[in-house]
Amino acid sequence: MSTQQRPVVFIHGLWLHATSWDPWVELFRQAGYAPSAPGWPGEADTVQAARERADDVAGLGIDDVTDHYAAIIDGLPDAPVLVGHSFGGLIAEKLLGQGKAAAAVAIDPAQIKGVLPLPLAQLRAGLPALGNPANRNRAVSLTAKEFRFGFGNAVSEEESDALFERWTIPSPAKPLFQAAAANFSLHSEAAVDTDNSTRGPLLLVSGLEDHTVPDVVTRSTLKQYRGSTAVTELHQFEGRGHSLTIDAGWTEVAKAVLGWLDEHGL
């Protein structure tokens, strides 16, 4: 690394507040980076406030969120590393393809245009939003039971419930509808420039027990990059679900990401 600290921007996905990245931010700061975890546009500063102001994020789509982070990146002194989880991973991939980042890590990333597998577990995990077409322009909350299936299936019920109480917020349903219809839309907002060979390195991370973004989806995402000569790699974690960025095993994932960045001189 240069003497100037490399910016790292963490991007969360649906149903988690930006402060869920706080332990990662501290670890990356200790490792010599300049990390930040901005929320989505309209997202309140605290979990409680976000729960009370759900309508502030209702109707947000993938491009709205991508443009929001692009503007943040434009204000940084150097091209950042992006670390995104779930829909944050998809957004990190979009921004990397647009040349906005030095590298990106997409952890259990939401499916991009071109990804075809749609496992039953993924369908069930998306039902709280997709089950009602009227939700498209609403903000939707998960119940503890829904969170347990979609996020906390690989941890104890006690831990899942604790994570639910600590980090979950209402989130816009529109990105889920956009991703679900991506392969039927000529100009889908879930499209990523996967053929870009001049972009920085990309690491895809998969939890093998993930219900929300099953491993087969992440492996299919990897295949979408076969037209690019840029570095694209996959790291799979045994026994991990969608909560892998916030549960008791988060440091294993974070340290693997730091190791990968070091390998690539970032």
Side-chain angles (χ1 to χ4, degrees), residues 200-224:
L202 170 65
L203 176 65
L204 301 172
V205 175
S206 175
L208 294 184
E209 301 301 319
D210 195 326
H211 284 167
T212 298
V213 186
D215 180 64
V216 66
V217 174
T218 306
R219 285 187 279 112
S220 181
T221 299
L222 178 66
K223 292 178 182 177
Q224 301 307 307

Side-chain angles (χ1 to χ4, degrees), residues 95-228:
L95 290 166
L96 182 68
Q98 294 169 6
K100 290 286 189 180
V105 179
I107 304 170
D108 292 340
Q111 68 270 32
I112 63 176
K113 182 178 172 66
V115 171
L116 298 179
L118 192 59
L120 288 175
Q122 185 179 23
L123 284 171
R124 179 177 166 187
L127 273 178
L130 296 173
N132 182 354
N135 284 338
R136 181 179 174 87
N137 290 308
R138 296 173 177 168
V140 176
S141 299
L142 296 182
T143 65
K145 183 178 179 180
E146 290 164 345
F147 181 85
R148 169 78 165 145
F149 181 83
F151 282 75
N153 60 292
V155 299
S156 69
E157 184 173 2
E158 181 181 19
E159 182 176 4
S160 179
D161 289 348
L163 294 171
F164 172 80
E165 289 296 331
R166 186 174 186 185
W167 298 124
T168 59
I169 60 172
S171 289
K174 190 173 184 178
L176 278 167
F177 283 90
Q178 292 174 319
N183 293 324
F184 307 99
S185 173
L186 183 62
H187 302 293
S188 171
E189 294 188 13
V192 169
D193 185 359
T194 55
D195 292 331
N196 185 349
S197 293
T198 63
R199 61 164 172 81
L202 170 65
L203 176 65
L204 301 172
V205 175
S206 175
L208 294 184
E209 301 301 319
D210 195 326
H211 284 167
T212 298
V213 186
D215 180 64
V216 66
V217 174
T218 306
R219 285 187 279 112
S220 181
T221 299
L222 178 66
K223 292 178 182 177
Q224 301 307 307
Y225 286 93
R226 58 188 176 272
S228 172

